[in-house]
Amino acid sequence: MSAQRRKTSRRRPSRRRIGRTLLITGCVLTAVAGGTAWYVYRDLVSSIGSSKALEGAEKSAHGDVNVLLMGLDSRRDQNGDPLPDEVLDKLHAGSSDIGGYNANTMILLHVPADGSRAKAFSIPRDDFVAIPGHGKDKIKKAYGLAKAAKEDQLSAQGVKDRRQLEQEGREAGRRAQIDTVRNFLGVPVDHFAELNLAGFYHLADALGGVPVCLNKPVKDRWSGADFPAGRQQLDGRQSLAFVRQRHGLEMGDLDRTKRQQAFLAGATQKLNSAGTFTDPVKLVKLIDTAKKDVVTDSGWDLLSFVRQAKNLSGGKVQFTTLPIEGFGRNHGEDINVVDDMKIKRLIAEQIGPQTTATPSAPGASSSSPSSPPSPPSSSPSPPASPPTQDSGPQDSGRQDSRPQKGSIDGGGIPCVD
């Protein structure tokens, strides 16, 4: 072989060597990607899976999962500190002293083990129900009443650490809110996720906006909602205004539950369509958001649920707002009059025999004050005429039928007023 040919052969690696190099590189990248995914998952679980509010609670049968999504109308972070003024200004949410710890958003998400269509049940926040240890009151108050009672109990025992009072008070609030919903609906609650006002804002921004659809334009100075009709993508500030608006809506709070359903549908669709779980940058941003604003139960395998959650977009969730019998008054406050047994029957019919009604979780009474339960509040006024809302299942995510003439096509997400 000539010197020139030997020189050329040294310059050109063989095809076998190239293939071996690519194979090794691919294996290394796969290992790194897998390790990163595992680290990110462990980081996520250790950061937000912190609540023990569901310890000892009975679970759903046959692998079904019921998740309670709770949105707190709180202007404070997880430590009880006021949100920064610049954040409050963006949220159009007023002072950090407003709102308290009411659970203004409650959605029970039922995910069947067989992969069939999931169902989400919105619970109107003013439903007048039994709250363990407190008689009857608006269902949204269970969290705040139990939190305040627990903090008073600890303070009487000499506890002065503000963060301890906040954390133990919130745990009591979570247990009470979950117990109240469980007893009201008659089904187990397997997992929960809690989000504050800032959480809506940060979640929408982490997703790069959330798609929603409006049947008509709206403008409301109270919530800051100012949107045209049609499909549109909302940033964090706009998303919060969208889910908070009730003034100017025909059915007020009852119509607001449909906004919350629409936001959930849009966020889930965006979560999957944006490739969040395959994009490290997007995934890390989402996890950072979850660390700040989300609390879940410690026993939740989020990775498994995320895989299931891929079936929750594209119109695969049936949304229902639970019906009320009418409106009433209790101690000067407007309430929703409800038929407890009717609600339990509706849930049982929709979910089916694969789940069973359960009693309160062992030890859940610790979320109530140590004093004996107070008698029920005074009876509400006779209910007004029933609302005109459709109290049956609202199949608001359908994609298999074309929009009717004159209606707006939401492109797979529900169009709401």
Side-chain angles (χ1 to χ4, degrees), residues 92-150:
H92 206 273
S95 166
S96 60
D97 295 325
I98 301 174
Y101 288 90
N102 289 331
N104 275 357
T105 301
M106 288 163 284
I107 298 176
L108 185 79
L109 177 64
H110 174 72
V111 183
D114 61 6
S116 58
R117 196 174 201 184
K119 297 180 180 180
F121 303 91
S122 287
I123 307 169
R125 65 176 187 166
D126 290 339
D127 284 3
F128 194 65
V129 305
I131 298 177
H134 295 280
K136 296 192 73 173
D137 212 323
K138 295 181 180 183
I139 194 169
K140 69 178 183 180
K141 290 186 177 182
Y143 193 114
L145 287 171
K147 179 181 183 293
K150 184 66 175 180

Side-chain angles (χ1 to χ4, degrees), residues 223-235:
S223 64
D226 186 1
F227 310 119
R231 182 182 168 93
Q232 53 207 288
Q233 186 153 282
L234 307 184
D235 62 20

Side-chain angles (χ1 to χ4, degrees), residues 206-209 267-279 282:
L207 291 174
T268 306
Q269 185 190 72
K270 185 63 177 290
L271 194 66
N272 291 324
S273 64
T276 303
F277 297 114
T278 58
D279 185 325
K282 291 180 180 178

